[in-house]
């Protein structure tokens, strides 16, 4: 009797330890595709809002789009899906919202290496099943956000960022590190945490 109880306990521990191994490569690809299809549309919405604001009122007046409206759009998508969404970067503009955790930082660094080796930044993504701090499994997804021609107005090098815009950025983001980018570099990533 005692031996069967220990055997059952041992099998339970092995099954719990296997966790993420229960997901096949096909399962992971399906999760990645589904997550991409449902989460990624929020980014063009944000870019569209910022572009319209820049065209109508100028780059300095578009700061509230990235500071307030982008997080609101991510929050709406989070409420719709039940997932946690955020934009993260190794060089944050707003450290309260954009600082990556260890998993995100590792993959952002890998994205930079892969991009330097010739992979297209707009195609860089990763998705994997991990166990969170409470022992629950979740699917984590990260998709690179490359710097486009529009982005350098606020994130570029030297004269690409107008003097009045620099002053506004310094006022709104006193700990800003998100300058000095060129077109094609990786600005950051969209991060998704999806409970399983």
């Amino acid at each position: 009797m005692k031996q069967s109880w220990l055997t059952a306990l041992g099998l339970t521990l092995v099954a719990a330890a296997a966790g993420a191994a229960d997901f096949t490569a096909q399962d992971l690809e399906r999760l990645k595709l589904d997550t991409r299809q449902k989460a990624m549309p929020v980014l063009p919405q944000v870019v569209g809002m910022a572009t319209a604001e820049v065209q109508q009122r100028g780059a300095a007046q578009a700061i509230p789009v990235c500071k307030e409206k982008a997080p609101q759009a991510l929050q709406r998508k989070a409420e719709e899906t039940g997932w946690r969404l955020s934009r993260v970067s190794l060089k944050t503009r707003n450290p309260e919202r954009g600082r990556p955790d260890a998993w995100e930082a590792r993959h952002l660094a890998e994205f930079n290496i892969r991009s330097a080796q010739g992979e297209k930044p707009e195609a860089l993504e990763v998705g994997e099943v991990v166990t969170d701090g409470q022992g629950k499994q979740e699917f984590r997804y990260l998709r690179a956000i490359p710097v486009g021609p529009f982005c350098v107005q606020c994130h570029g090098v030297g004269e690409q960022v107008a003097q009045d815009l620099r002053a506004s950025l310094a006022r709104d983001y006193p700990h800003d590190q998100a300058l000095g980018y060129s077109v094609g570099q990786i600005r950051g990533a969209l991060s998704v945490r999806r409970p399983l």
Side-chain angles (χ1 to χ4, degrees):
M1 180 106 173
K2 192 173 190 180
Q3 187 174 8
S4 64
W5 177 80
L6 290 173
T7 303
L9 176 62
L11 291 175
T12 303
L13 292 173
V14 168
D22 293 341
F23 290 87
T24 67
Q26 284 181 320
D27 294 333
L28 292 174
E29 281 306 310
R30 277 194 290 273
L31 276 167
K32 193 186 300 182
L33 176 63
D34 185 59
T35 304
R36 182 189 318 127
Q37 289 176 338
K38 291 177 180 168
M40 287 302 294
V42 75
L43 291 180
Q45 292 171 4
V46 170
V47 171
M49 288 187 293
T51 302
E53 197 67 25
V54 167
Q55 290 172 345
Q56 291 174 8
R57 301 177 59 205
Q61 301 305 315
I63 291 174
V65 171
C66 288
K67 187 175 184 180
E68 298 161 12
K69 292 183 180 180
Q72 291 168 358
L74 289 170
Q75 182 59 36
R76 283 191 300 276
K77 183 59 74 173
E79 290 167 3
E80 175 188 314
T81 60
W83 307 340
R84 288 175 34 199
L85 287 86
S86 60
R87 293 176 301 162
V88 295
S89 177
L90 294 175
K91 292 171 56 177
T92 61
R93 175 147 283 169
N94 183 351
E96 293 172 13
R97 286 196 172 135
R99 189 179 310 278
D101 64 18
W103 186 89
E104 293 161 334
R106 176 172 48 97
H107 288 293
L108 282 166
E110 288 172 4
F111 285 173
N112 285 329
I113 292 167
R114 291 169 56 190
S115 177
Q117 292 173 342
E119 289 188 56
K120 293 184 178 182
E122 61 273 11
L124 294 172
E125 66 179 355
V126 65
E128 59 189 41
V129 174
V130 301
T131 302
D132 70 12
Q134 287 84 38
K136 296 179 183 174
Q137 287 187 328
E138 64 182 355
F139 181 71
R140 296 208 61 184
Y141 177 80
L142 200 67
R143 177 73 177 228
I145 302 172
V147 175
F150 173 79
C151 304
V152 294
Q153 292 180 65
C154 295
H155 297 284
V157 179
E159 298 301 315
Q160 290 176 315
V161 181
Q163 191 62 36
D164 66 325
L165 179 56
R166 284 179 201 225
S168 295
L169 289 170
R171 181 190 68 240
D172 288 348
Y173 299 104
H175 304 289
D176 186 11
Q177 299 175 350
L179 293 166
Y181 286 98
S182 300
V183 172
Q185 289 184 307
I186 296 169
R187 166 69 189 96
L190 175 67
S191 180
V192 180
R193 298 179 75 154
R194 178 177 178 170
L196 294 175

